[in-house]
Amino acid sequence: MSANTDRHENAVARYFEAWNASEPETLAKAVAAAWATDGTYTDPLAAVGGHEEIAALITAAHGQFPGFAFRLTGAVDGHHDTARFSWELVSEADGSAPVAGFDVITLDADGRIRSVLGFLDRVPAGA
């Protein structure tokens, strides 16, 4: 495994730590560890920038899907400062995964996320 691959996998691991953090202080620390100060997140439902807006988006997702956690599906594929990966939002109660997608991230020189471009492959009706 190359150092570049480790860099991508480490960034994605921090990304999921942020998305799965539920306590405000833990979430703020996880977002700061994962994203650059001016980092952005964009998907078909949201476009936010900066740590506070990203944390608010994650909090809103937890509110919409209580008892669910994000998990990586498959391998992280990356080159240079860019990586892509697939994920699911999984119910901790029954293992169902009503939401799935893939994200493309761009990293800064320190390995923190500069931008996320998210794509939704599966979304329940009314979500």
Side-chain angles (χ1 to χ4, degrees), residues 38-126:
D38 60 348
T40 62
Y41 177 92
T42 306
D43 71 16
L45 305 174
V48 298
H51 291 175
E52 287 184 18
E53 289 185 7
I54 292 166
L57 177 67
I58 292 170
T59 298
H62 285 276
Q64 187 173 4
F65 294 96
F68 283 76
F70 288 89
R71 76 171 178 206
L72 181 67
T73 59
V76 175
D77 180 25
H79 62 80
H80 297 87
D81 291 332
T82 305
R84 67 179 177 167
F85 54 93
S86 298
W87 53 267
E88 291 181 321
L89 183 60
V90 180
S91 168
E92 295 171 346
D94 65 12
S96 63
V99 183
F102 78 92
D103 292 348
V104 176
I105 61 173
T106 304
L107 305 177
D108 68 10
D110 296 323
R112 294 191 324 174
I113 298 169
R114 283 190 315 206
S115 68
V116 176
L117 296 176
F119 296 84
L120 301 172
D121 297 326
R122 181 173 62 238
V123 179

Side-chain angles (χ1 to χ4, degrees), residues 14 18 26-36 50-52 54-55 58 112:
R14 288 190 307 273
T26 304
L27 174 57
K29 288 180 182 178
V31 168
W35 269 271
H51 291 175
E52 287 184 18
I54 292 166
I58 292 170
R112 294 191 324 174

Side-chain angles (χ1 to χ4, degrees), residues 6-23:
D6 288 346
R7 181 172 181 249
H8 297 126
E9 289 178 356
N10 291 336
V12 171
R14 288 190 307 273
Y15 177 80
F16 281 104
E17 287 174 19
W19 275 99
N20 288 320
S22 57
E23 298 300 319

